[in-house]
Amino acid sequence: MYQYDEHDQRIVDERAAQFRGQVQRRLAGEITENEFKPLRLQNGLYMQLHAYMLRVAVPYGLLSSAQLRALATIARDYDKGYAHFTTRQNVQYNWPELEDVPKILDLLASVQMHAIQTSGNCIRNTTSDPLAGIAADELEDPRPYCELIRQWSTFHPEFAFLPRKFKIAVTGSRTDRAAVRIHDIGIRIVDNDAGERGFEILVGGGLGRTPHIAKVVRDFLPYEHLLSYLEAVLRVYNRYGRRDNKYKARIKIQVSEWGVEKFAAAVEEEWGHIKDSATALTRAEIDRIKGRFHTPSFEALPNEDLDALALTSDREFARFLKNNLRPHRVPGYTAIVISTKPKDRAPGDVSDSQLEALADLADRFGLGHVVVMHDQNVMMPNVKQADLKAVYAVLEEWDLHTANAGRVTDQICCPGLDFCNLANARSIPVALRIAERFDDQDYLDDLGDVSLKMSGCINACGHHHVGNIGILGIDKAGVEAYQLMLGGDPGDEASLGKIVGRAFSSDEIVDAVSTVLDTYATQRESADETFLDFYRRAGLDPFKESLYGTD
Amino acid sequence: MALIKHNAVAPAELWTTLAADQPVPATGDVLVDLERWVSEGEALRARADRVGVLLQPDDDVLGLEGTLDGLALIAVAFPKFTDGRGYSSARLLRDRLGYTGELRAVGHVLPDQVFYMRRVGFDALELADGKSADTAIAQLGEFSVTYQAAADDSRPLFRRVARPA
Ligand code: SF4
């Protein structure tokens, strides 16, 4: 967990004070709503259908127990008792009053948190691998680099009014769990042939109206040049990215219109002027940032026999052990996924008392912190295997024990028409119906890992293009309808889902998902062939046939 | 339209902005576009009164390279405050071209942008109509700490102060 120093603290304190002034001026009518909009947006405050929505930054998803408690207080005192985890490892509140937001920012600042640049056309929260720091295949923990990027991008004076929002992700592992290929900039920690540490830089990925997979603009960047290179990319984008059309203003469009060679050449030219400036990182500064993370020290423990534990436990706990654990590189430890998706709750919603329960759990059993994941779940990364039973008992008490991590019902879903004023269709009610329909856990386990992602409109906040099953809400002559896509995947072999055929009505969509799952279950080669493997082998045809017949 | 220079209110100035096809008057301070300055620089420099350049967001600021002598002012236009290209223009003028003369933000310049503007190198700000100079001046010092290098300090925070380990 990165600990702020006095400088970091002063910045978030002064930001809270600044926004208090801006809110006062807005309430006094000194600034118009139009002028206030970009200011509130740079503090993560959106106008939604019914109320303001406040988005709080959770840098690279990491939360301490003290921060969880502050989030619980905000949920209780300034919202309707809920916080909502997003696909960008952030937290959202759907019901704050404008007058209360300065108080919320003060509370956040008191636990080293903020809402800086969580919206607006600026550099957003840098995201990372939820298994950062514990994955066996990790070259180096990416989070100190995320923190360096966070500091560099915070109030960067040149890049506060970019053509569009800008998202960066960093991974330090060979397997990409940070979806770097669907970010404006994706950064992979790599070693070159000479064994030197550096970064591979990908630019121009993104979902939305025109999804793109990012392209490599530099296959090896020596580590000390990270920030100057980012600065060069941002400058080329800020100067030449399209501003005439909101939907063409993301960097992915610039890269695809220019071609990656021309884009990379422009960045190299710009970078040549600044690479040896004082922005260059030093080993000492990187080590200093790493030191402030206070990496936990692990005990020397034996691995437990988890299979034996599962055999002697009740079915639900056994299922939890099978589905919700993720490997930890230190013997005797495990990471656990805490699903925010029981049958009856909107994905990502967590109550104030659940947040407090998580904080207590983290203190007792998790070395004091949790990680917000891209799929809106929460991970406790450092649990002793010997404590699993005790942890599960607490999770069960708080209805946080749903054993569906990675299963179809572990779905991602944007707020949709219930909250969002851009939506074409509702998404939460569909998600709830899907959860209700597929409540046979044995069937879900038999299907294995299948990701289902849903967005209420083409802006793709639910990342539907990279769901194995993607659902997109559309407006069909004034009626909500749902397009079904298959085959998306955000990982190393990143691929975008393909539309199967005509859209489904709200009444039909859950049946359609059921048909898709049955088609896979009956036609796969063996239980080892995952949904994605089956799709990649057999293509859309078997699904088309079972969904629409042969005509 | 309040004018702020070096963190204080400055007296209004009369500059005439010339359209591309408008003849240059014999007297009076004028602002010309980038193209005219580059192509007619010699004649413009011979004037007794001052000449400045007004840069538009899509002008390539690097086109001013080698032509900075004799320029009394560079004004950078912000037709909409959401168009952030002028920030990069300013930064390049200061850092790349070494411009040391007056650099003025004009157009939709709001108090809440001035902190960023000062950091990228603007030393003069012509606020949008009706905007309070007091608010803007207060905002110039809104943050006492900055992380990154910019035109106002070429060192990032970790090279300016000893940050604790
Ligand atoms: S995908 Fe569309 S409906 Fe869903 S949250 Fe984003 S903008 Fe709103």
Side-chain angles (χ1 to χ4, degrees):
Chain A
M1 199 71 221
Y2 176 78
Q3 295 295 321
Y4 278 13
D5 68 12
E6 71 215 69
H7 307 285
D8 302 309
Q9 187 65 49
R10 198 167 329 139
I11 285 178
V12 298
D13 288 345
E14 289 175 357
R15 172 55 144 203
Q18 180 195 43
F19 193 59
R20 170 165 282 119
Q22 289 168 345
V23 168
Q24 273 159 7
R25 281 188 284 136
R26 173 70 195 114
L27 293 173
E30 273 179 57
I31 40 179
T32 65
E33 175 54 28
N34 252 350
E35 289 163 358
F36 183 56
K37 189 174 165 193
L39 308 179
R40 65 171 164 77
L41 282 181
Q42 300 226 344
N43 278 292
L45 194 61
Y46 285 82
M47 188 84 91
Q48 293 282 56
L49 273 183
H50 315 290
Y52 281 111
M53 181 271 276
L54 176 69
R55 184 180 294 148
V56 176
V58 183
Y60 30 95
L62 204 51
L63 280 174
S64 70
S65 53
Q67 292 173 332
L68 279 167
R69 291 194 181 91
L71 294 175
T73 302
I74 295 168
R76 184 157 48 230
D77 293 353
Y78 303 109
D79 199 287
K80 297 182 173 178
Y82 278 90
H84 178 79
F85 291 121
T86 78
T87 54
R88 287 211 52 78
Q89 300 181 295
N90 286 327
V91 174
Q92 285 177 192
Y93 293 99
N94 283 317
W95 304 98
E97 298 288 341
L98 180 57
E99 301 83 292
D100 288 334
V101 175
K103 284 184 264 178
I104 298 175
L105 294 187
D106 284 344
L107 184 59
L108 290 171
S110 74
V111 291
Q112 311 193 345
M113 293 183 84
H114 59 77
I116 295 166
Q117 289 168 213
T118 55
S119 55
N121 294 335
C122 52
I123 303 171
R124 303 286 191 88
N125 189 27
T126 299
T127 52
S128 187
D129 181 353
L131 294 181
I134 65 169
D137 68 342
E138 189 169 86
L139 241 49
E140 188 175 341
D141 189 338
R143 291 169 302 182
Y145 297 105
C146 295
E147 177 59 26
L148 282 160
I149 293 169
R150 183 189 77 83
Q151 298 189 12
W152 162 80
S153 62
T154 296
F155 304 144
H156 196 301
E158 189 179 341
F159 306 132
F161 298 95
L162 297 168
R164 280 289 272 145
K165 58 188 169 184
F166 202 91
K167 301 177 180 181
I168 302 174
V170 189
T171 181
S173 285
R174 291 185 174 82
T175 308
D176 175 21
R177 288 171 295 260
V180 296
R181 288 170 185 82
I182 56 169
H183 281 77
D184 295 291
I185 296 181
I187 300 171
R188 296 180 61 232
I189 299 176
V190 293
D191 288 335
N192 66 6
D193 294 340
E196 293 152 343
R197 185 55 47 87
F199 307 98
E200 179 185 70
I201 309 285
L202 301 101
V203 180
L207 300 175
R209 213 160 272 242
T210 35
H212 285 271
I213 304 289
K215 303 237 166 49
V216 176
V217 294
R218 194 165 228 285
D219 51 19
F220 186 79
L221 179 72
Y223 76 89
E224 68 268 28
H225 295 306
L226 177 64
L227 299 180
S228 59
Y229 195 83
L230 293 182
E231 193 141 316
V233 173
L234 265 300
R235 187 169 290 156
V236 169
Y237 171 57
N238 190 41
R239 296 187 73 202
Y240 299 111
R242 285 182 63 171
R243 290 173 186 267
D244 58 324
N245 176 339
K246 182 177 168 198
Y247 297 109
K248 300 203 154 127
R250 293 291 286 265
I251 198 172
K252 63 190 175 186
I253 303 292
Q254 186 183 8
V255 173
S256 87
E257 286 182 352
W258 284 22
V260 67
E261 292 78 17
K262 176 181 166 188
F263 183 84
V267 171
E268 290 291 319
E269 189 337 272
E270 179 59 40
W271 181 55
H273 294 282
I274 57 177
K275 68 193 269 257
D276 298 316
S277 69
T279 291
L281 287 167
T282 58
R283 225 335 112 208
E285 174 62 2
I286 292 171
D287 289 343
R288 189 187 69 79
I289 294 273
K290 284 185 179 174
R292 294 195 69 80
F293 270 79
H294 301 288
T295 309
S297 47
F298 296 100
E299 293 171 38
L301 297 171
N303 270 322
E304 303 284 320
D305 187 346
L306 296 178
D307 291 335
L309 179 63
L311 282 174
T312 56
S313 303
D314 69 61
R315 277 170 66 89
E316 275 315 290
F317 183 45
R319 200 188 301 282
F320 184 88
L321 292 175
K322 180 163 175 272
N323 289 347
N324 288 38
L325 301 193
R326 297 293 177 267
H328 196 295
R329 67 172 168 239
V330 178
Y333 285 84
T334 183
I336 64 177
V337 178
I338 299 169
S339 168
T340 66
K341 301 154 193 180
K343 202 162 67 177
D344 48 1
R345 211 184 313 140
D349 275 4
V350 181
S351 73
D352 55 342
S353 42
Q354 286 178 322
L355 288 166
E356 280 164 351
L358 285 173
D360 292 345
L361 265 182
D363 280 339
R364 278 172 68 200
F365 298 112
L367 298 177
H369 65 267
V370 301
V371 176
V372 185
M373 303 172 74
H374 303 273
D375 51 16
Q376 305 177 275
N377 290 326
V378 182
M379 175 177 279
M380 281 180 70
N382 302 306
V383 177
K384 287 181 194 166
Q385 294 170 4
D387 289 337
L388 275 167
K389 222 172 172 156
V391 171
Y392 183 77
V394 179
L395 292 175
E396 201 172 13
E397 188 185 328
W398 291 98
D399 194 20
L400 289 166
H401 63 301
T402 309
N404 65 350
R407 302 300 182 232
V408 178
T409 54
D410 185 7
Q411 41 188 336
I412 287 182
C413 160
C414 81
L417 198 53
D418 293 294
F419 293 102
C420 175
N421 44 16
L422 301 171
N424 289 321
R426 283 170 292 177
S427 47
I428 293 171
V430 175
L432 292 173
R433 274 159 51 212
I434 287 174
E436 201 178 316
R437 167 74 69 92
F438 303 104
D439 69 343
D440 176 350
Q441 283 281 358
D442 292 326
Y443 177 65
L444 295 180
D445 286 351
D446 178 57
L447 293 173
D449 283 348
V450 186
S451 65
L452 189 154
K453 301 178 199 261
M454 183 166 18
S455 307
C457 81
I458 197 143
N459 289 314
C461 303
H463 299 176
H464 60 275
H465 300 107
V466 289
N468 297 168
I469 300 175
I471 297 177
L472 166 64
I474 57 172
D475 178 336
K476 233 178 165 182
V479 180
E480 290 170 273
Y482 297 87
Q483 219 160 47
L484 193 60
M485 302 180 190
L486 300 176
D489 174 44
D492 289 308
E493 308 282 313
S495 58
L496 301 169
K498 290 211 172 78
I499 298 173
V500 202
R502 73 160 176 85
F504 296 94
S505 71
S506 178
D507 286 341
E508 295 166 331
I509 184 67
V510 180
D511 289 335
V513 171
S514 179
T515 304
V516 164
L517 294 172
D518 285 340
T519 305
Y520 155 67
T522 52
Q523 296 188 32
R524 63 185 161 184
E525 264 173 354
S526 72
D528 291 339
E529 190 176 43
T530 65
F531 183 90
L532 193 61
D533 290 341
F534 172 77
Y535 169 85
R536 284 181 173 161
R537 175 174 64 80
L540 279 177
D541 286 343
F543 298 105
K544 275 191 172 149
E545 198 160 308
S546 51
L547 283 165
Y548 305 108
T550 42
D551 46 310
Chain B
M1 287 188 299
L3 183 62
I4 296 171
K5 285 195 190 186
H6 300 284
N7 307 348
V9 177
E13 296 179 11
L14 190 66
W15 291 83
T16 306
T17 303
L18 299 183
D21 52 1
Q22 206 177 334
V24 181
T27 58
D29 297 341
V30 294
L31 280 175
V32 300
D33 58 44
L34 172 65
E35 207 188 310
R36 186 182 300 202
W37 175 253
V38 172
S39 58
E40 300 170 26
E42 212 170 320
L44 290 166
R45 281 188 190 88
R47 291 180 91 236
D49 289 323
R50 297 183 296 173
V51 181
V53 165
L54 176 62
L55 282 179
Q56 297 301 330
D58 57 359
D59 284 338
D60 181 2
V61 59
L62 299 177
L64 282 172
E65 190 166 7
T67 74
L68 296 172
D69 272 357
L71 255 187
L73 169 69
I74 299 176
V76 176
F78 288 85
K80 285 186 305 191
F81 72 84
T82 47
D83 187 334
R85 286 176 284 185
Y87 294 90
S88 287
S89 299
R91 189 92 196 267
L92 289 168
L93 273 169
R94 293 296 192 204
D95 290 0
R96 186 82 33 94
L97 303 186
Y99 176 65
T100 54
E102 182 176 331
L103 184 55
R104 186 184 299 184
V106 303
H108 202 193
V109 176
L110 306 176
D112 298 287
Q113 272 74 57
V114 300
F115 178 78
Y116 293 137
M117 287 176 167
R118 178 182 66 71
R119 289 218 66 208
V120 295
F122 289 104
D123 52 8
L125 305 156
E126 187 181 285
L127 295 183
D129 267 343
K131 295 301 156 193
S132 151
D134 290 345
T135 307
I137 289 168
Q139 295 273 336
L140 281 170
E142 201 77 37
F143 294 97
S144 61
V145 183
T146 56
Y147 284 122
Q148 56 294 96
D152 61 342
D153 193 328
S154 62
R155 302 160 305 167
L157 184 61
F158 77 88
R159 293 184 194 268
R160 281 180 241 151
V161 298
R163 299 189 66 184

